[in-house]
Structure formats: C-alpha cells, structure tokens
Amino acid sequence: FKLTIPKYEVYYHRIAKELHLIKSNKFTKVFLQVRSILDLVEAEGIPYIIRGSAGCSLVCYLLNISNMNPIKENISLARFMHHQRKDMPDIDIDFPYNRRDEVYEMIFNKWQGKVARISNHILYKQKSAIKEAIRKKGYRKFIPKDFNLEDIFEKESDRQEILKSADELTGKFNHYSLHCGGIIIFDGAVPEEHYLQECKVNKFKDIEGPQIKLNKDEVEDFDLIKIDILSNRGLAQLWDVNKTPIYQY
C-alpha cells in the first residue's frame, strides 16, 4: 500500500530533517537495500516486522519498511539517527522463524556472488583458555566441563605453567562463528581478502554462500552496510492463526 505525507507542518519538518541526515551521512543505500529485500519477500507473501529504533524514522514508515507512524505516536528520531551519530543506522528485520531460510535463499539468489554472511569473533575466556593451555601441554584426553587441574597434572610447576599460558591466551582470538543474522550486500563480488568459507544459506537445501571474516564492529570500520535478517517465533505463530497484514494491527 502507498503512503503519502499528511499535510501538516510537523511532518514536513520531520521529513526534511531525516532526509538531510540521510544525505549528509550517506545513508541512502541502507534504506534502498532494505526496501529491495522487502520487495522480494512481499512478493512471496512472507510477513515481517522491524525490530528496534528504525521505528523512530518517518522515512522508514513512508517506505513501508516500518509500520508505525512516529509522528502520530510522538517518537523521537534520536534513537535511530542524529547529528552527532555518524555510524550507519541499523534496520533489523524479523521474519517467521520457519521461513527465514527462504528469505536468505532469495537474497543470495538475487545478489548472487555479491552477498555474504558476517562472522562472530569468539575470544578465549578464562576456562576455554585453560583448556587450550592443557592441550598445548600435550594432554589429549577428554576434558570435562567441571575439571580440576590437580587431577590432570600432579606437579605444581606444570599447573603454574598452565595458568600462566592461560592468562596469556585470555581475551585473544579463538575462532570464527556465524553471526546470528548479519549480511552484507557488496557493490561487486565478495572481496577475496574478506572471504572466509562457504556456509549454509538454507539448512533444508544443499545451498551455500560466502561467509566473510569481518564481525559487526569491523563491518562498521569498513563503512559497510550490515542488515540483520532475524527470526521470530511469535510472528510465525501469529501468521498460522491469522494472516491479517501486520500494518493493520
């Protein structure tokens, strides 16, 4: 459905403010990418809701990205974007948990070779660091969740060496994992320097796509646009009961 700006001064002041921030901070692409994704899912009849501060934006409302009129509801824009905030605004999208894989598949097909999932960087914590130090010491047996160092190493000097090694590891990079929903749509092919591996796009099908090494913080450092494709069990249950368009609630 199409929305137009109501003919009240407060709407024109707000839309002018938002468009100025979007243009001056070069945020245009994030709105266009999100709208393009929603065009795909709407064509397949998949419902969605916007999570978080994007609901503060009149631009999001007028583009049918969000369903709530922030002027009518008297919601401040500042949580979403303001003059002091230069980082890319987040527009997180919730889909039914049982259809999110379809959404990933559509996105990876639409922007084939240009879209990638982002990573989490898992760091060593105290316990995982101690376990790694034990393995580096040459211990190859299973290490239970609740272990006692004295049961593994009899010598005090060995135990002290393990603890010292663990202290050095704590806080350092351990391994990559797959971020819960973050994707990047690049202008061209996924850059080789960021590529990590292929990951499952749809767990119900034999379809894979790129995963990059960057985590959410590094994505910001590279001025890339992260869009979170998230899942919501409540939305799936609601859709099973009643397929009334979300904006009508």
Side-chain angles (χ1 to χ4, degrees), residues 1-3 35 38 42 48 50 58-67 247:
F1 67 103
K2 291 185 177 180
L3 292 169
R35 187 59 258 172
L38 297 181
E42 285 175 351
Y48 65 88
I50 296 299
L58 183 60
V59 169
C60 282
Y61 175 67
L62 293 172
L63 287 172
N64 287 330
I65 292 173
S66 61
N67 300 126
Y247 71 87

Side-chain angles (χ1 to χ4, degrees), residues 216-232:
K216 62 185 181 65
D217 298 320
E218 292 173 331
V219 163
E220 284 188 15
D221 293 340
F222 281 95
D223 291 325
L224 296 170
I225 298 169
K226 176 177 72 73
I227 298 171
D228 280 333
I229 307 298
L230 304 171
S231 63
N232 187 306

Side-chain angles (χ1 to χ4, degrees), residues 46 96-109 115 117 178 183 198-210 229:
I46 300 175
Y97 81 97
N98 54 355
R99 301 200 69 182
R100 183 171 69 154
D101 284 70
E102 292 177 56
V103 175
Y104 278 134
E105 186 178 345
M106 285 188 279
I107 292 169
F108 275 78
N109 284 337
V115 61
R117 297 281 299 272
L178 193 62
I183 63 165
E198 293 295 293
C199 66
K200 276 277 190 181
V201 170
N202 186 332
K203 61 177 175 283
F204 302 107
K205 297 181 182 178
D206 191 21
I207 302 173
E208 294 186 330
I229 307 298

Side-chain angles (χ1 to χ4, degrees), residues 12-24 27 31 54 56-61 70-71 75 77 80-81:
Y12 288 92
H13 280 303
R14 177 65 164 261
I15 201 71
K17 178 181 180 180
E18 290 196 27
L19 290 174
H20 172 72
L21 285 170
I22 290 167
K23 183 178 179 181
S24 60
F27 291 160
F31 291 88
C56 304
S57 166
L58 183 60
V59 169
C60 282
Y61 175 67
I71 301 298
I75 300 172
L77 176 66
F80 184 57
M81 56 182 177

Side-chain angles (χ1 to χ4, degrees), residues 107-108 111 113-119 178 181-186 190-191 194-195 197 199 209-212 227:
I107 292 169
F108 275 78
W111 290 279
K114 295 181 179 181
V115 61
R117 297 281 299 272
I118 68 170
S119 294
L178 193 62
I183 63 165
I184 305 293
I185 302 174
F186 293 92
V190 175
H194 298 326
Y195 179 85
Q197 62 186 8
C199 66
Q211 177 183 349
I212 55 174
I227 298 171

